[in-house]
Structure formats: C-alpha cells, structure tokens
Amino acid sequence: MFLTHDEEKMCNGEYGDTVRKSMDILVALGDIYGAEKFVDISSAQVSGVSYKTIGQAGLEYLEDLASDKSGYATIPSTLNPAGTDLDNWSELGFPADFASKQTDIVNAYGQLGISKTCTCTPYLIGNVPRFRDHISWSESSAVAYVNSVIGARTNREGGPGALAAAIVGKTPLYGFHLDENRASTLIVDVEADLNGADFGALGYAVGQVVGDGIPYFKLNNVPTNNDLKSLGAALASSGAVALYYVENVTPEFDTIALSNEVNDNMAVSTEDIKETRDKLSTASGYADLVCLGCPHASLEEIKDVANFVCGKNISNELWICTSINIKAAADRMGYTKMIENAGGHIVQDTCMVVAPIEDMGYESVGVNSAKAANYVPSMCGLKVIYNDFENLIKFD
Ligand SMILES: C[C@@](O)(CCOP(=O)(O)O)CC(=O)O
Ligand code: SF4
C-alpha cells in the first residue's frame, strides 16, 4: 500500500502508540483487500459496544487503548447500541453487574473521543454523512442505509477497523469506496404491494439469495425512510448486503447501479412475502416482551406506537428501542408519557439483540423487524414472533 510521509510517521509511532496500533489494523486491512492507498473519511460508526458481545476481553482491550492517552477520534464518531439503557438500567430490570461492565466499556470509548451516543441509526441524529462522502461504519444495517439511501461510501467494517479509522481519520480505499464495485448484481421485481413488516420480509428473502451482492429493487410502492431502514437491515442480516438500490428512489439507481449488465433476476410475489413472514416466527400467540426499534426507532415510528396504545392498558411488556436523542424528542412531544401511561417503555442506547434479555426472565419476544427475528433466537436463545406492531401488543 502506498503511504504518504505523514502516514509513515503514524505507522512508526511518531504520533503515539494508539495511532500506531490503529495504523497496524488499517494497513493490514488494506493489504488483505488490495487497497492502493488511504482515503480521508468524514465519519465513523463503531460497533462492538455491548458487554454481551465483546465481553471482558473487549473491555480490557479498550481500557488499555484508552489508558495510553495518545490517540483520540479525529472525526465525528458514534457508537453502536450498548447492552443496557445507560441511564435507566435499574428501573428496567437490567442486572447490576452487567450494567457496571457496560458503563466501563462506554467510558473507555468516551476517553478515546468517540461520542457516547449508542445507536444503530446515527443517520437520524447528527452523524449524517453527505452524498459520496467516504466513511467507516460497522453496524451492518447502518452500512446498508448510508450506502444506499444517502449514497455515502463505506465497507462493512468490523468494530476494531472502524475504531482505528475514527482515530486516524482515514480508511483503506477498496471495495464499496470505489464506484466500479457499486454496480448491482441482481434485479428484483417485487410484484407484491408492501406494508409495514412486509419490507423486512422482502429484505430477508432477497438477502438469502443475493448473499454479498447488490440487489436492485423494482417496487410498486414508494417506500418511506422507515421502510428502507427495515429493508436494508434485513438484507444485511440474512445476506451480507452493504448496498442496494430502489428504482426511482435511491441515489445513483440510474447511473452506477446499472453500469454493468445484470444477468440475474428474481421475482417476489405476495405469496413469497406471506411465506417469509410466517417462516420468521418460531412461536405463535403473544410474546411476553414486545421489542420494537430494530434498527433504532425514528420519532415517527414512536409516534405511531404512542397513538396506538394511548388510553389502553398493555398486558405484555413493551420496549421501543431508540437513541438518547430520539428519546428526548419523544419526551418533549409527550409520546413517552403516552406509552408509559399504557404500561410500555422507551428504552434508549440498547436493543433486544445486544441486551441480556435472556437473563431478565423473558422467554419469547415479539418483533416487527426481520433482522431481530433472525438474531433473537441465535443471540438470545429465545422464541420470536414476527408481525406488525399492532398485532404484537396485547391489551387487558
Ligand atoms: C447485530 C448487530 O446489529 C448488533 C451487534 O453488534 P455489536 O455488538 O455492536 O458488534 C451488528 C450488526 O448487524 O452489524
Ligand atoms: S440488532 Fe437491530 S436494534 Fe440491535 S443494534 Fe442491530 S440493527 Fe440495531
């Protein structure tokens, strides 16, 4: 890999040990993937935050890096969801020993200069790259969104790679950073009219077929940003999708998307969507915990749930997961009160997959996210029911 004089100094430790270690990771990635040089980036999004997923070894690695005090994030950078609501963990029933480890992890990231905003939808709250910006993001659903809906450029980074990029402010130039690798590989004709959880089912079904390719959707409906958030998350979880196009909707659908001839096609019917929806559930009836907000909920999604539950009594447990910022906006709008008065909670910083819900007495989880339906059984060992939120919430 070609290195500038300054990049060589970073590699030689002239900017301190944390920068040197970060360059080691980035140069290794660049060598593996055949990058010719580095590119400057404008944003980082760092996964590997929950104590459930990185454990004691991850905590010690971060504390070690932070204690050196020789390297800090040089660009706007946010964190992926943590394993607890960082402020209200006790009221919500999170185990105290887990919460304490979780706080230590987030504090170590904070000492490294990463914003302690823990969310998988940073594009809703201020970590918002511009069209064609080079960035380094690691949450797979956020990668799919930012590449596809915003048109920024990122690979599906791992947590350590994104952290290293946040500190150095650069990433190796390869893969999805290059226009030549952003052409679509599969045309998807969607014959079904889609609503709500259908978008996740579509993403799940197509992700299984396309793998790490780039699907190009022809839809009957004009999707909302929330629909695109669900679609991309599902594509990135059943497949390894980093980028998709929707005809007449997402940037570059009429330019880069079709710059190579696409020979693969698939059609998705109403019956396919129904079958996929059914397949995503491993239980029936009502779940004891309904957990919405995968990826983290937008204010509009919270508003819809608030209006739906207002004035009623919810008899299963309800969490709507989101960022601290959207929670604050929901508080001010009165949505939080409406949901709490009905017996539900807005839970910030965490989610049903990275929280230790399997240790909190729950057995089945109701979700309207195909990504969550895919991961809750494997990462939490719990049963899952996939449906629109209106069909998951039970009232007295
Ligand atoms: C499942 C996921 O959304 C959350 C867990 O990731 P992590 O704990 O931040 O590494 C990660 C991903 O899909 O990129
Ligand atoms: S599992 Fe869903 S809610 Fe949790 S971090 Fe991933 S996308 Fe966000």
Side-chain angles (χ1 to χ4, degrees), residues 81 120 139 141 293-296 351 353 371:
C120 47
E139 159 57 41
S141 67
C294 171
H296 270 177
C351 80
V353 170
K371 172 171 180 170

Side-chain angles (χ1 to χ4, degrees), residues 25-26 29 41 43-47 75 77-78 114 136-139 154 156-171:
I25 293 173
L26 296 172
L29 281 171
I41 56 171
S43 154
Q45 192 270 344
V46 180
S47 67
I75 51 169
S77 310
T78 53
I114 315 279
S136 179
W137 283 25
S138 47
E139 159 57 41
T154 180
R156 280 174 60 123
E157 298 293 347
L163 175 59
I167 290 167
V168 172
K170 296 168 187 282
T171 197

Side-chain angles (χ1 to χ4, degrees), residues 45-54 79-83 109 120 138-143 156-159 233 236-237 294-295 351 353-354 371 375 379:
Q45 192 270 344
V46 180
S47 67
V49 181
S50 171
Y51 185 65
K52 174 167 155 178
T53 58
I54 68 167
L79 291 176
N80 220 25
Y109 275 121
C120 47
S138 47
E139 159 57 41
S140 67
S141 67
V143 166
R156 280 174 60 123
E157 298 293 347
S237 77
C294 171
C351 80
V353 170
V354 297
K371 172 171 180 170
Y375 286 177
M379 287 186 63

Side-chain angles (χ1 to χ4, degrees), residues 193-273:
D193 289 328
L194 304 176
N195 252 308
D198 293 340
F199 281 92
L202 172 64
Y204 184 84
V206 173
Q208 285 187 315
V209 174
V210 77
D212 61 0
I214 304 174
Y216 178 102
F217 291 95
K218 298 182 178 192
L219 298 181
N220 287 338
N221 322 51
V222 179
T224 64
N225 285 352
N226 294 325
D227 297 334
L228 294 172
K229 168 161 88 69
S230 306
L231 173 67
L235 283 165
S237 77
S238 70
V241 170
L243 167 64
Y244 65 90
Y245 295 95
V246 179
E247 195 166 80
N248 295 318
V249 175
T250 62
E252 300 173 314
F253 79 89
D254 53 349
T255 51
I256 292 176
L258 302 173
S259 53
N260 288 342
E261 198 181 328
V262 190
N263 295 317
D264 287 338
N265 281 273
M266 78 183 271
V268 181
S269 65
T270 305
E271 191 49 35
D272 295 330
I273 296 289

